[in-house]
Amino acid sequence: VQLQASGGGLVQSGGSLRLSCTFAKRTVGLYGMAWFRQAPGKEREFVVSVSPSGTDAAYTESVKGRFTISRDEATFTTDLQMNNLKPEDTAVYYCAATPSGWNEAPSHNPGTYAAWGRGTLVTVSS
């Protein structure tokens, strides 16, 4: 499984960005998707995950109400819409995939994920 992430950039506090993660080639099987992030000097942390069906999602508390994950199976893309961004959201964001049950948002544990995209940098200025 190969993933490609894009959409990072520089934005002012309160602004919005949309990240996209695409399977590099058509992939057979059911994969739950997730976004993690890693700020300078910190460990990689879970942000959100979504089930293969797209119906079950799990968010870390700090982004609830601001971030929304969605997936489009026609384009094999999972997007992360980030609104009301804060300086503490500054990090390199990574998408990841793991086999998962149809309606099951996958784990918060990064060790669960075998496939990772390259990171995309999000910088939020105050």
Side-chain angles (χ1 to χ4, degrees), residues 2-92:
Q2 292 179 305
L3 304 174
Q4 296 176 338
S6 62
L10 173 65
V11 65
Q12 289 187 335
S13 182
S16 298
L17 282 174
R18 189 176 184 90
L19 306 183
S20 290
C21 179
T22 304
F23 284 103
K25 58 182 179 181
R26 184 172 183 140
T27 301
V28 177
L30 298 179
Y31 287 91
M33 302 294 295
W35 287 93
F36 290 79
R37 64 188 180 186
Q38 188 165 16
K42 295 187 177 181
E43 293 186 351
R44 189 168 299 190
E45 67 168 348
F46 172 84
V47 178
V48 58
S49 65
V50 65
S51 62
S53 67
T55 59
D56 186 34
Y59 294 85
T60 194
E61 193 64 33
S62 63
V63 308
K64 285 182 179 178
R66 301 189 297 121
F67 291 12
T68 304
I69 192 170
S70 60
R71 57 190 305 167
D72 182 346
E73 293 309 309
T75 58
F76 308 108
T77 299
T78 299
D79 289 348
L80 181 63
Q81 178 66 42
M82 305 186 295
N83 298 328
N84 190 22
L85 282 160
K86 304 176 180 181
E88 52 263 42
D89 294 318
T90 294
V92 177

Side-chain angles (χ1 to χ4, degrees), residues 103-121:
N103 289 316
E104 178 184 346
S107 170
H108 298 196
N109 182 358
T112 302
Y113 297 79
W116 291 84
R118 288 188 178 184
T120 185
L121 178 61

